[in-house]
């Protein structure tokens, strides 16, 4: 219930201002499908990362799954090997790699394996992340270091290692699963360590999209509402939060639109999922189709 409690503290009673206001879609320039594209996804053994991988697999993409999980978890389903099976069943090619993105040697070895098997890299998705919704005095430094080494440092390391290969691709993209940057105190006051770590991923977007403008499309994607993952059910919000969430398909559909667009035209954006997929028929993504949009649970960093 931790996440449910913390998010509710960000909201004013009966406040619904956070629902989608921008109904004009970004002018994406479609470039084709992901068939034959090689995609590296961190944290893709389950949840959102796996959902994006499975959507790419339907096109016949090559998907490298970088994650730590090789043995089943008692509550969280999925390993790099079960993810690989799911991808291959859908028509993609999978390469499961056990990798802890905190360590440079493991990341370099993993990327060498990807290039050795598939010949290059077209897309990097920085999805791996750690969370702790604790205020300053209740954040131990071990947890602080974990969040910053995975979220900020891991994203930077993965990007730095993949960029030389991405620069050789025809339509290269980096997509970070991170929020729009905002300096509003409310996003820092209750969990400053987590906000700093997550915003570090977004700052990579801000900087790298400028540094590699015209060469690599670098963007961020974030959910407007909570997403019904196993982590939400068992660790963050329970059944109540699951009921008020959208499913993972909204993020996989949004990621697909971004990644099949022109890297030169789609660059330096902080996208929200429902604004990418468009305003029509968003209810299909609801876990409970009867719940109106204003009663869904907003995610962090969404005003």
């Amino acid at each position: 219930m931790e996440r449910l409690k913390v998010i509710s503290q960000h909201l004013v009673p009966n406040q619904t201002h956070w629902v989608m206001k921008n109904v004009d879609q970004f002018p994406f320039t479609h470039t084709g499908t992901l068939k034959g594209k090689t995609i590296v996804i961190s944290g893709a053994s389950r949840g959102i990362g796996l959902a994006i991988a499975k959507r790419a697999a339907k096109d016949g993409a090559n998907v490298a799954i970088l994650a730590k999980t090789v043995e089943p978890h008692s509550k969280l389903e999925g390993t790099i090997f079960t993810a690989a099976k799911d991808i291959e069943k859908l028509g993609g090619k999978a390469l499961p790699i056990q990798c802890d993105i905190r360590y440079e040697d493991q990341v370099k070895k993993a990327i060498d394996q990807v290039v050795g098997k598939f010949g290059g890299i077209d897309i990097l998705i920085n999805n791996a992340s750690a969370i702790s919704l604790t205020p300053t005095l209740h954040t131990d430094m071990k947890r602080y270091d974990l969040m910053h080494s995975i979220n900020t440092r891991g994203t930077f390391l993965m990007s730095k290692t993949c960029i030389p290969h991405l620069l050789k691709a025809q339509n290269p993209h980096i997509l970070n699963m991170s929020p729009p940057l905002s300096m509003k105190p409310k996003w820092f006051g209750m969990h400053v360590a987590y906000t700093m770590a997550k915003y570090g991923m977004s700052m990579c977007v801000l900087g790298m999209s400028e540094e590699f403008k015209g060469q690599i499309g670098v963007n961020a994607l974030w959910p407007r509402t909570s997403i019904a993952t196993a982590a939400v059910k068992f660790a963050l919000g329970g059944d109540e939060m699951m009921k008020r969430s959208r499913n993972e398909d909204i993020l996989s559909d949004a990621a697909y639109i971004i990644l099949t667009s022109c890297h030169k035209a789609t660059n330096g954006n902080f996208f929200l999922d429902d604004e990418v997929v468009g305003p029509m028929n968003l209810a299909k993504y609801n876990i409970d189709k009867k719940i109106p949009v204003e009663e869904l649970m907003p995610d962090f960093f969404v005003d």
Side-chain angles (χ1 to χ4, degrees), residues 9 39 51 67 105 145-146 166 202 230 277 284:
Q9 291 176 315
I39 305 172
D105 59 338
D145 290 342
L146 178 69
L166 291 168
S202 298
V277 299
K284 69 179 181 179

Side-chain angles (χ1 to χ4, degrees), residues 98-112:
Q98 184 181 21
C99 179
D100 188 331
I101 65 168
R102 292 177 293 174
Y103 301 105
E104 187 174 9
D105 59 338
Q106 291 189 33
V107 170
K108 287 183 175 180
K109 182 179 179 181
I111 298 308
D112 285 345

Side-chain angles (χ1 to χ4, degrees), residues 13 17 34 139 148 152 190 200 204 244 251 264 271 289 291:
H17 73 279
L34 297 178
T139 304
H148 283 260
T152 303
M190 286 185 281
C204 285
R244 295 171 61 190
L251 283 168
K264 294 181 180 180
F271 291 115
K289 303 295 190 295
I291 293 182

Side-chain angles (χ1 to χ4, degrees), residues 42 101 125-131 147-159 174-181 194-209 218-222 269-270 301:
S42 65
I101 65 168
I125 300 175
N126 287 306
N127 172 68
S129 187
I131 183 172
M147 288 191 289
H148 283 260
S149 60
I150 292 176
N151 300 6
T152 303
R153 185 180 187 278
T155 293
F156 185 90
L157 173 58
M158 286 289 294
S159 301
I174 296 175
L175 182 62
N176 293 354
M177 307 305 292
S178 63
L181 289 167
Y194 173 64
T195 298
M196 289 166 63
K198 205 63 190 176
Y199 277 6
M201 297 177 70
S202 298
M203 291 173 73
C204 285
V205 171
L206 188 65
M208 293 178 189
S209 64
V218 185
N219 298 280
L221 176 62
W222 193 246
N269 300 286
F270 294 91
F301 314 114

Side-chain angles (χ1 to χ4, degrees), residues 4 33 83-84 99 105 115 150 243:
L4 187 61
T33 72
C99 179
D105 59 338
V115 175
I150 292 176
K243 185 174 68 174

Side-chain angles (χ1 to χ4, degrees), residues 8-292:
S8 66
Q9 291 176 315
H10 284 301
L11 300 175
V12 174
N14 301 317
Q15 182 175 344
T16 60
H17 73 279
W18 61 271
V19 299
M20 185 173 70
K21 297 182 286 291
N22 180 17
V23 296
D24 295 323
Q25 281 184 285
F26 182 88
F28 293 102
T29 303
H30 186 65
T31 61
T33 72
L34 297 178
K35 182 176 178 60
K37 299 288 186 180
T38 296
I39 305 172
V40 175
I41 310 180
S42 65
S45 59
R46 62 174 69 94
I48 293 166
L50 178 57
I52 295 173
K54 289 166 69 174
R55 179 64 184 86
K58 292 178 181 179
D59 276 6
N62 308 318
V63 183
I65 306 153
L66 275 61
K68 296 187 295 182
T69 309
V70 294
E71 297 291 337
H73 188 278
S74 59
K75 291 184 178 179
L76 304 177
E77 294 185 5
T79 69
I80 58 173
F81 304 114
T82 59
K85 288 181 181 179
D86 290 342
I87 289 165
E88 290 176 347
K89 283 179 183 177
L90 291 169
K93 294 180 181 178
L95 178 61
I97 302 174
Q98 184 181 21
C99 179
D100 188 331
I101 65 168
R102 292 177 293 174
Y103 301 105
E104 187 174 9
D105 59 338
Q106 291 189 33
V107 170
K108 287 183 175 180
K109 182 179 179 181
I111 298 308
D112 285 345
Q113 284 183 253
V114 176
V115 175
K117 182 173 179 64
F118 296 123
I121 297 172
D122 297 282
I123 294 166
L124 167 64
I125 300 175
N126 287 306
N127 172 68
S129 187
I131 183 172
S132 181
L133 303 177
T134 48
T136 300
L137 296 181
H138 292 89
T139 304
D140 62 76
M141 294 313 296
K142 182 177 180 180
R143 192 66 186 178
Y144 178 98
D145 290 342
L146 178 69
M147 288 191 289
H148 283 260
S149 60
I150 292 176
N151 300 6
T152 303
R153 185 180 187 278
T155 293
F156 185 90
L157 173 58
M158 286 289 294
S159 301
K160 177 181 178 344
T161 309
C162 289
I163 282 171
H165 305 288
L166 291 168
L167 289 171
K168 301 175 185 177
Q170 288 188 340
N171 189 41
H173 286 271
I174 296 175
L175 182 62
N176 293 354
M177 307 305 292
S178 63
L181 289 167
S182 169
M183 296 306 292
K184 292 183 178 179
K186 71 176 183 177
W187 299 125
F188 291 84
M190 286 185 281
H191 38 71
V192 62
Y194 173 64
T195 298
M196 289 166 63
K198 205 63 190 176
Y199 277 6
M201 297 177 70
S202 298
M203 291 173 73
C204 285
V205 171
L206 188 65
M208 293 178 189
S209 64
E210 180 67 22
E211 182 177 0
F212 298 101
K213 184 185 296 184
Q215 299 174 288
I216 301 171
V218 185
N219 298 280
L221 176 62
W222 193 246
R224 184 180 299 277
T225 71
S226 61
I227 301 297
T229 62
V232 166
K233 180 176 177 63
F234 294 112
L236 296 174
D239 291 336
E240 175 61 24
M241 189 166 176
M242 289 286 284
K243 185 174 68 174
R244 295 171 61 190
S245 299
R246 286 171 173 160
N247 63 46
E248 297 154 345
D249 290 346
I250 190 169
L251 283 168
S252 62
D253 287 350
Y256 183 85
I257 292 170
I258 295 166
L259 299 174
T260 55
S261 68
C262 174
H263 68 284
K264 294 181 180 180
T266 306
N267 182 52
N269 300 286
F270 294 91
F271 291 115
L272 292 177
D273 54 3
D274 55 7
E275 291 182 351
V276 175
V277 299
M280 304 304 292
N281 196 24
L282 288 174
K284 69 179 181 179
Y285 297 113
N286 284 19
I287 295 300
D288 186 335
K289 303 295 190 295
K290 294 179 292 185
I291 293 182

